Amino acid sequence: MNFRLSNRVTKRDFQGEFTAKILKAAEDPEIISFAGGLPFASSFPVKEIQAASEKVFGENPVLALQYNSAKGYEPLRQVIADRYKKTMDLDFSADDIIVTNGSQQALALIAAALIDDGDEVACENPCYLVALQTFHLYNPVVCPVELTDEGMNLDSLKEMLDKHNPKFMYMVTNFQNPTGITYTDENRQAIADLVKDRDIVVVEDNPYGELRFAGKAGRSMHYYLGKQCLLLGTFSKIASPGMRVGWIACKDPDMKAKLLNYKSAVDLHTNMPCQMILAHYMLDNDFEAHMVDVREMYRQKAVCMMDCLDKYLPEGVKFTRPEGGMFIWLTLPEGVAGVDVQDEALKRHVGIVAGDPFYEYDRNTNTIRLNYTNSTDEEIDYGIKALAESIEVVMNRK
Amino acid sequence: MNFRLSNRVTKRDFQGEFTAKILKAAEDPEIISFAGGLPFASSFPVKEIQAASEKVFGENPVLALQYNSAKGYEPLRQVIADRYKKTMDLDFSADDIIVTNGSQQALALIAAALIDDGDEVACENPCYLVALQTFHLYNPVVCPVELTDEGMNLDSLKEMLDKHNPKFMYMVTNFQNPTGITYTDENRQAIADLVKDRDIVVVEDNPYGELRFAGKAGRSMHYYLGKQCLLLGTFSKIASPGMRVGWIACKDPDMKAKLLNYKSAVDLHTNMPCQMILAHYMLDNDFEAHMVDVREMYRQKAVCMMDCLDKYLPEGVKFTRPEGGMFIWLTLPEGVAGVDVQDEALKRHVGIVAGDPFYEYDRNTNTIRLNYTNSTDEEIDYGIKALAESIEVVMNRK
């Protein structure tokens, strides 16, 4: 008896294969890993979550344990809407928020609601790899837009818009994954001017916005574009990724209805206990004070990694200097492939991700992504030294 | 600016529209609802879940709050595998279990992994309505198989197999939704004999199996078919639906890998706190004793509803007498439409579901689904009396 699998799951999945390989390697406890995007465990507000959990199961257990609606827990949606007003001066009501299983499911729902086979979608190049993987479930043609240190390369964006008509454009404007860059306000405004009269949904993913430890925050694309922009958020980087609670802020009633229908068909609703725990956690605690601590923790780690890179890297390797988020992006000398460095580093028990899976088309690129949030200073020092050696070994092969 | 939605979410969704209408009506707190499939709130093991939650957040908070793997929490998968051995004498390892967001997501993952546009899938007729809704996200042709009180109508199954070549066959063998019937062992064996040499995956959904209050359990299709059968389960009906934890038991390595890839692309993994709470709950408590209580609670409600139906229903209305599960299925006299009765009952503040959305093709059927698990005896008495009146009103119109 044979399982006749769908084309959807049998076609080549470059991103998925790459990630699986990395994850497998990282299972070795001896490995120092800069490969993932995990929060540092001591950043979790453990005591506050414990207290919130006792409250949920003590005061309102039936609501936590019973079925609920696809939209999500109303007080949590209100907390999210209120925070948009407070931190970004954006007007959303609780009704505009759809709770999802992390922002990963938000990407899957939006892709499902917009992409028919062969439709075009625009992505940053390089782009968050699991976003590419998720979009490919729906068989789109990906139109890449190049990045600079200031955001999208506007010439590249104009050229893409001249040639293509993407249904949506996916962008991570703050501390982009993988590059760590942040879009300037001028760049955001220019992008908005270019897309605002077109039927292109702007999907602005903002998982890292709260993790700013330097510089000044830019405006959300929603500020420029209103309902044309769907704004994605998550509790994964500010409270807990294991709870799998994220959201879509959406002002278009029809789009909202379709996203909710789809959500209820795929899993009815996001789990209630974690939604309720997070609502209590946000309402009962000084979340700002917590974030001040987390930002300082990540600032120190970022500075430590940048110092080590300055100290150990061979001549000719460049890297981005993020003002927040989780990642630093290395550009190796021309012709030095990140995948070769990845193999060499693994021999030295250091895990990194070569840039290739972040690109839709480019392979053997001279790029590498490093994560600094989930390692100690000692691990960073040891690991970056070993990485520098690995780069030298590959450079000397030429 | 227009949102160019995909065909997937804009095509007619009969099941979704029907459900939305029912849910909207049921929002009225004055309504006595036999329409849903909700567990009775006092069936939830609240104290035990509280204790398990304290343990999880007290003893192992970082594991609960951090990212984990797509497959799910290993001790929970072991609990599930052990219970299959104990209650059904089936050999699964923890490795064969994929944790999903309720069995609803299991249906979505399996449909995604098997259905290409236009592929055939076989379903019971009538069939669980959200299963139909979920399968339709992937654009299949649904091939209905008629039911009898003993399971599938074997002539209907043979005819379907002669004419069609479905990629999978979906069946709820215990206390079927919507009819409440249970497949006899002879019927299961006969079905297995008919499908076992074909490349048809048998998807056996068993959300209600633990809710048997009379009669004797039959063998799982997995007993007859081995890896050809994917077995679905959930904690929704035995502990908590709000936690959204279900699973797929799958022995085929390739299918398992594809399901896991797809799961990680759509939401990375199921939330960890609820997985861990359920594992502790199952390990630390006398789950059997809890289920004895729940079964007795539901037996009394089922008996109460059957007694009321016997007492109030007009001549010519038949109904199934379930040995467990959550539903009773009414067959009205020929030509009396369930949808008309549904409207009449709503005027009397009683919510039911007409049979139509459970059918792929048939409309204005003379059938109705009743749920008995989420009402008190008083509500059942009042509601069934009002339902009987509604049926008479519609019958007298003819």
Side-chain angles (χ1 to χ4, degrees):
Chain A
M1 186 269 164
N2 295 304
F3 286 73
R4 291 173 288 165
L5 296 164
S6 67
N7 295 328
R8 190 180 298 110
V9 298
T10 47
K11 67 181 178 190
R12 183 85 203 276
D13 172 16
F14 179 71
Q15 277 72 27
E17 288 163 27
F18 207 100
T19 315
K21 196 178 139 196
I22 304 274
L23 288 177
K24 192 156 177 56
E27 274 174 16
D28 182 348
E30 303 271 292
I31 294 279
I32 292 175
S33 179
F34 306 138
L38 275 66
F40 202 56
S42 67
S43 76
F44 297 143
V46 169
K47 283 203 183 326
E48 293 81 358
I49 297 270
Q50 276 171 353
S53 151
E54 274 173 41
K55 212 161 169 176
V56 166
F57 288 115
E59 291 176 7
N60 219 340
V62 169
L63 189 64
L65 299 179
Q66 188 58 284
Y67 282 116
N68 209 281
S69 78
K71 198 173 248 192
Y73 182 54
E74 201 279 338
L76 181 68
R77 290 186 283 113
Q78 190 62 56
V79 162
I80 294 165
D82 290 347
R83 192 151 178 88
Y84 274 128
K85 185 68 194 168
K86 188 178 164 190
T87 63
M88 298 164 80
D89 195 26
L90 296 178
D91 289 314
F92 288 109
S93 72
D95 226 39
D96 299 328
I97 310 297
I98 297 169
V99 176
T100 56
N101 306 332
S103 48
Q104 194 59 44
Q105 190 185 41
L107 295 174
L109 296 179
I110 291 169
L114 292 170
I115 304 174
D116 284 315
D117 270 23
D119 278 348
E120 294 174 317
V121 305
C123 292
E124 298 160 320
N125 196 43
C127 173
Y128 168 45
L129 75 88
V130 194
L132 286 178
Q133 188 182 359
T134 303
F135 300 158
H136 276 296
L137 298 175
Y138 303 96
N139 231 12
V141 174
V142 172
C143 309
V145 180
E146 302 305 319
L147 295 178
T148 72
D149 284 348
E150 310 202 318
M152 281 186 176
N153 178 319
L154 297 174
D155 289 335
S156 172
L157 176 59
K158 279 177 208 157
E159 196 188 328
M160 188 279 290
L161 291 171
D162 282 346
K163 289 187 189 157
H164 303 285
N165 185 15
K167 278 205 167 165
F168 67 84
M169 181 159 80
Y170 174 71
M171 53 203 293
V172 181
T173 49
N174 298 311
F175 324 123
Q176 200 252 359
N177 184 354
T179 62
I181 65 130
T182 292
Y183 288 51
T184 63
D185 271 327
E186 295 68 29
N187 191 262
R188 295 172 199 231
Q189 173 80 65
I191 294 166
D193 289 344
L194 286 168
V195 300
K196 79 178 162 211
D197 294 323
R198 298 170 191 252
D199 289 341
I200 300 173
V201 179
V202 170
V203 179
E204 186 181 29
D205 193 1
N206 190 28
Y208 315 113
E210 300 267 11
L211 301 181
R212 174 177 289 281
F213 48 69
K216 194 179 145 289
R219 292 276 196 184
S220 162
M221 295 305 291
H222 188 86
Y223 168 79
Y224 301 105
L225 293 169
K227 74 162 196 175
Q228 185 175 358
C229 170
L230 302 183
L231 192 44
L232 273 48
T234 178
F235 287 100
S236 291
K237 310 300 190 273
I238 56 178
S240 158
M243 288 192 163
R244 310 307 304 125
V245 180
W247 66 86
I248 306 171
C250 172
K251 279 206 164 300
D252 185 76
D254 196 31
M255 181 75 186
K256 201 157 38 174
K258 298 301 188 209
L259 289 169
L260 281 172
N261 284 356
Y262 197 83
K263 166 79 179 161
S264 50
V266 296
D267 63 9
L268 300 184
H269 62 81
T270 291
N271 87 88
M272 282 297 288
C274 292
Q275 288 192 69
M276 293 174 71
I277 290 169
L278 285 168
H280 276 293
Y281 164 66
M282 295 295 285
L283 290 169
D284 297 349
N285 294 281
D286 187 348
F287 177 69
E288 266 320 322
H290 169 68
M291 286 313 300
V292 167
D293 293 345
V294 174
R295 287 175 200 130
E296 176 56 19
M297 179 191 294
Y298 289 167
R299 188 192 65 78
Q300 287 181 22
K301 290 183 188 299
V303 167
C304 173
M305 188 173 276
M306 290 190 280
D307 287 349
C308 290
L309 290 167
D310 280 330
K311 185 167 156 194
Y312 297 122
L313 281 184
E315 198 89 14
V317 182
K318 290 183 297 183
F319 61 91
T320 57
R321 294 180 179 269
E323 297 185 330
M326 296 189 141
F327 304 109
I328 294 175
W329 184 245
L330 264 61
T331 305
L332 306 169
E334 202 74 34
V336 179
V339 284
D340 293 338
V341 174
Q342 181 179 301
D343 291 342
E344 274 302 317
L346 210 51
K347 288 183 199 162
R348 290 164 179 77
H349 302 285
V350 174
I352 57 163
V353 194
D356 289 13
F358 300 98
Y359 293 94
E360 174 68 8
Y361 303 105
D362 306 330
R363 297 293 172 257
N364 296 307
T365 65
N366 58 334
T367 53
I368 284 169
R369 189 191 74 174
L370 299 178
N371 166 261
Y372 52 77
T373 57
N374 195 30
S375 306
T376 64
D377 287 5
E378 293 67 36
E379 289 167 337
I380 290 174
D381 188 87
Y382 178 93
I384 295 300
K385 199 170 171 183
L387 170 66
E389 283 169 23
S390 310
I391 293 173
E392 275 168 38
V393 167
V394 176
M395 283 171 71
N396 290 336
R397 269 191 217 147
K398 295 187 64 179
Chain B
M1 186 269 164
N2 296 304
F3 287 72
R4 291 172 287 163
L5 297 163
S6 66
N7 295 328
R8 189 181 298 109
V9 297
T10 47
K11 68 181 177 188
R12 183 85 204 276
D13 172 16
F14 179 71
Q15 276 72 27
E17 288 162 27
F18 206 100
T19 316
K21 196 179 139 195
I22 304 275
L23 288 177
K24 191 155 179 58
E27 274 175 14
D28 182 347
E30 303 272 292
I31 294 279
I32 292 176
S33 180
F34 306 138
L38 276 66
F40 202 57
S42 67
S43 77
F44 297 143
V46 168
K47 284 205 182 327
E48 294 80 359
I49 296 271
Q50 277 170 353
S53 150
E54 274 173 40
K55 211 161 170 177
V56 166
F57 288 115
E59 291 175 7
N60 219 341
V62 169
L63 188 63
L65 298 178
Q66 189 58 285
Y67 282 116
N68 209 280
S69 78
K71 199 173 248 194
Y73 181 54
E74 201 278 339
L76 182 67
R77 291 186 283 112
Q78 190 62 55
V79 162
I80 295 165
D82 290 347
R83 192 150 178 87
Y84 274 128
K85 184 69 195 167
K86 188 177 163 190
T87 64
M88 299 164 79
D89 195 27
L90 296 178
D91 288 314
F92 289 109
S93 72
D95 226 38
D96 299 327
I97 310 296
I98 298 170
V99 176
T100 56
N101 306 331
S103 48
Q104 194 59 43
Q105 191 184 42
L107 295 174
L109 296 179
I110 292 169
L114 291 171
I115 305 174
D116 284 317
D117 270 23
D119 278 348
E120 294 174 317
V121 305
C123 292
E124 298 160 320
N125 197 44
C127 173
Y128 168 45
L129 74 89
V130 195
L132 287 178
Q133 188 182 0
T134 303
F135 300 158
H136 276 298
L137 298 175
Y138 303 96
N139 232 13
V141 174
V142 172
C143 308
V145 179
E146 303 305 318
L147 294 179
T148 72
D149 285 349
E150 310 203 318
M152 281 186 176
N153 177 318
L154 296 174
D155 290 334
S156 172
L157 175 58
K158 278 177 208 157
E159 195 188 327
M160 188 278 290
L161 291 172
D162 282 346
K163 289 188 189 157
H164 304 285
N165 184 14
K167 277 203 167 169
F168 66 85
M169 181 160 80
Y170 174 70
M171 54 203 292
V172 182
T173 47
N174 298 312
F175 323 122
Q176 199 251 0
N177 185 353
T179 62
I181 66 132
T182 292
Y183 289 49
T184 63
D185 271 325
E186 294 68 31
N187 192 262
R188 295 172 197 230
Q189 173 80 65
I191 294 166
D193 289 345
L194 284 168
V195 300
K196 79 178 161 211
D197 293 323
R198 299 170 190 252
D199 290 340
I200 300 173
V201 178
V202 169
V203 179
E204 185 182 31
D205 194 359
N206 189 28
Y208 316 113
E210 299 267 13
L211 301 181
R212 173 177 290 280
F213 47 70
K216 194 178 146 285
R219 292 274 196 187
S220 161
M221 295 304 292
H222 188 86
Y223 168 79
Y224 301 105
L225 293 169
K227 75 162 197 178
Q228 185 176 357
C229 171
L230 303 182
L231 192 44
L232 274 48
T234 178
F235 286 101
S236 291
K237 309 300 191 274
I238 55 178
S240 157
M243 289 192 162
R244 312 306 304 126
V245 180
W247 65 87
I248 306 170
C250 172
K251 278 205 165 298
D252 184 77
D254 196 31
M255 181 74 186
K256 201 156 39 175
K258 298 302 188 210
L259 289 169
L260 280 172
N261 284 355
Y262 197 83
K263 166 78 179 161
S264 50
V266 295
D267 64 8
L268 300 184
H269 62 82
T270 292
N271 86 89
M272 282 297 286
C274 292
Q275 289 191 70
M276 293 174 71
I277 289 169
L278 286 168
H280 276 293
Y281 164 65
M282 296 294 286
L283 290 169
D284 297 349
N285 294 281
D286 187 348
F287 177 68
E288 267 318 322
H290 169 68
M291 286 314 298
V292 167
D293 293 344
V294 174
R295 286 174 201 131
E296 176 55 18
M297 180 190 295
Y298 288 167
R299 187 191 65 76
Q300 287 181 22
K301 289 182 188 299
V303 167
C304 174
M305 189 173 278
M306 290 190 278
D307 286 349
C308 291
L309 290 167
D310 280 329
K311 185 167 154 194
Y312 297 123
L313 281 185
E315 197 88 14
V317 181
K318 290 183 295 183
F319 61 91
T320 56
R321 295 181 179 269
E323 296 184 331
M326 298 190 141
F327 305 109
I328 294 174
W329 184 245
L330 264 62
T331 305
L332 306 170
E334 202 73 37
V336 179
V339 283
D340 294 337
V341 174
Q342 181 179 301
D343 290 341
E344 274 303 315
L346 210 51
K347 289 184 199 161
R348 290 164 178 77
H349 302 284
V350 174
I352 57 163
V353 195
D356 289 13
F358 301 98
Y359 293 94
E360 174 68 8
Y361 302 105
D362 306 330
R363 295 295 172 257
N364 297 305
T365 64
N366 57 333
T367 53
I368 284 169
R369 188 191 75 174
L370 299 178
N371 166 262
Y372 52 78
T373 57
N374 195 31
S375 306
T376 63
D377 287 5
E378 293 66 37
E379 289 167 337
I380 290 173
D381 188 86
Y382 178 93
I384 295 300
K385 199 169 169 185
L387 170 64
E389 282 169 22
S390 310
I391 293 172
E392 276 169 36
V393 167
V394 176
M395 284 171 73
N396 289 335
R397 267 189 219 150
K398 294 187 64 183

